[in-house]
Amino acid sequence: MESHKMESQSSAMVVTMLIIAFLRTVLAKSIQAASIAFLSLMEGLSMKSSPEQEIETFDQLSAHWWETTGPMILLHKLNKLRVPLVVEGLIKAGKVDRKQRYTTDALKGLTVLDVGCGGGIYSEALAKLQATVVGIDPARHLVEVAKAHAEKQPDIKEHCHYYQQSLAEHWQGAVGKYDVVVLSETLEHVEDKSAMLKQVAAVLKPGGSVFISTWNRTRWSWALAVVVLENVMKRLPRGSHDYDKFISPEETEAILEGYGCRTLECRPFYLKFWENEWIWVPFNQTTYALHAIKE
């Protein structure tokens, strides 16, 4: 009896020791994997691209720009927020009749400049509402992609015009030309934001509107854009976002006001990154969309 009891205790001890050894091995491997992942992540977080490197990065993505489930999926998804924002904003500004809100020609007769147009995802959506859209971008391959894609669509090809230019190159020949300027996911890549917004104000007609969507300068923005979307989920090009280039809505509004543009609305939005969906939210911690009018 006593012998059987001791044998049972011995077996239990062996099993316990085996479990402990197993857990130690798992923990060691987990720590090793986490360390490698952390070092890799830190390498990614330390990357800062020059403007030329950023242009090259986006140029390399040009072949996949119009794959709706590809690397630019977040830009495709963003149209669900930014296009209605333009229509609603222009209704509030008295430039679009309220009855035109849901029509296919809501923007007919209006001229739009898309700064940093990329491969034309935003430009085409606005052109489908019958706006005349000029898209500019310094990335040559992206402009070629935008031109080729628009050319295949008879309903918009006469409404879309693309040029390989920066705003600094474009604005002097376009003073007071546009009813609308859009800067979507562009401002956070620019060093001299004041100069860019000054040029935006210059190309707008009196009473014209500018619509901006960009990243707020907060820790939450850094965590979402750089840590999660660039380095963990690989939804954004690695090294394409720099916290130092992010700008708060208060700063954006102040700069615009200095150039005669009054902010009508600032709406925060957020990425449900686990579903690849952008949604309007009541907290202003990550991204925001701003509408201002030139007075």
Side-chain angles (χ1 to χ4, degrees):
M1 183 79 174
E2 190 68 28
S3 174
H4 181 70
K5 184 177 179 181
M6 290 179 63
E7 186 176 328
S8 296
Q9 289 176 339
S10 177
S11 298
M13 187 177 294
V14 170
V15 171
T16 301
M17 290 177 66
L18 287 172
I19 291 173
I20 291 172
F22 172 74
L23 291 175
R24 282 178 175 170
T25 302
V26 170
L27 181 61
K29 288 186 177 295
S30 297
I31 291 172
Q32 182 183 29
S35 299
I36 293 171
F38 177 76
L39 290 173
S40 175
L41 180 60
M42 287 302 103
E43 179 189 357
L45 299 186
S46 66
M47 291 177 65
K48 289 191 177 183
S49 302
S50 68
E52 293 76 17
Q53 289 171 325
E54 287 188 5
I55 291 170
E56 184 179 350
T57 296
F58 287 110
D59 253 341
Q60 291 170 355
L61 289 167
S62 61
H64 306 285
W65 208 263
W66 281 95
E67 295 173 5
T68 55
T69 58
M72 307 316 296
I73 184 174
L74 297 184
L75 284 184
H76 288 276
K77 294 280 190 177
L78 190 54
N79 273 358
K80 292 181 180 179
L81 296 189
R82 60 188 178 180
V83 174
L85 180 74
V86 169
V87 175
E88 293 292 337
L90 293 175
I91 288 173
K92 293 173 184 175
K95 299 295 183 181
V96 171
D97 191 297
R98 191 172 300 276
K99 295 176 183 177
Q100 297 292 102
R101 177 183 279 115
Y102 302 115
T103 63
T104 56
D105 62 348
L107 302 182
K108 187 174 182 178
L110 297 177
T111 54
V112 178
L113 177 65
D114 184 359
V115 180
C117 65
I121 294 169
Y122 197 8
S123 295
E124 284 200 11
L126 297 173
K128 285 183 182 296
L129 296 178
Q130 299 298 298
T132 297
V133 183
V134 172
I136 58 172
D137 199 292
R140 179 172 63 85
H141 291 102
L142 286 180
V143 171
E144 291 172 355
V145 165
K147 288 180 178 178
H149 197 269
E151 188 63 30
K152 297 174 185 175
Q153 300 175 78
D155 61 326
I156 67 165
K157 68 178 184 178
E158 300 301 326
H159 298 283
C160 283
H161 310 278
Y162 296 106
Y163 303 96
Q164 185 194 348
Q165 284 184 322
S166 66
L167 182 58
E169 296 168 318
H170 183 82
W171 79 272
Q172 288 184 324
V175 173
K177 179 178 179 180
Y178 297 101
D179 298 296
V180 177
V181 176
V182 295
L183 293 93
S184 183
E185 311 313 301
T186 299
L187 199 58
E188 67 266 26
H189 300 291
V190 176
E191 291 281 357
D192 192 342
K193 294 171 174 50
S194 181
M196 170 169 272
L197 294 178
K198 180 179 181 180
Q199 293 157 5
V200 166
V203 301
L204 278 174
K205 297 176 182 178
S209 289
V210 54
F211 295 89
I212 297 170
S213 60
T214 191
W215 291 86
N216 196 350
R217 194 169 64 246
T218 66
R219 292 193 182 99
W220 288 105
S221 289
W222 174 82
L224 180 58
V226 179
V227 178
V228 176
L229 297 180
E230 284 190 20
N231 289 280
V232 177
M233 298 187 71
K234 316 294 185 185
R235 289 289 189 268
L236 295 174
R238 192 179 181 194
S240 63
H241 289 81
D242 179 354
Y243 175 82
D244 293 335
K245 291 182 182 178
F246 291 178
I247 183 169
S248 72
E250 293 79 13
E251 291 174 287
T252 305
E253 289 183 32
I255 295 172
L256 286 169
E257 186 177 351
Y259 297 125
C261 296
R262 174 175 54 89
T263 297
L264 283 190
E265 182 178 25
C266 186
R267 296 184 66 182
F269 60 101
Y270 178 73
L271 177 67
K272 293 169 66 177
F273 55 87
W274 56 97
E275 295 180 1
N276 287 324
E277 290 289 344
W278 299 96
I279 57 170
W280 298 115
V281 290
F283 53 88
N284 195 10
Q285 293 299 317
T286 53
T287 41
Y288 63 93
L290 183 148
H291 172 207
I293 292 181
K294 180 177 179 179
E295 296 182 317

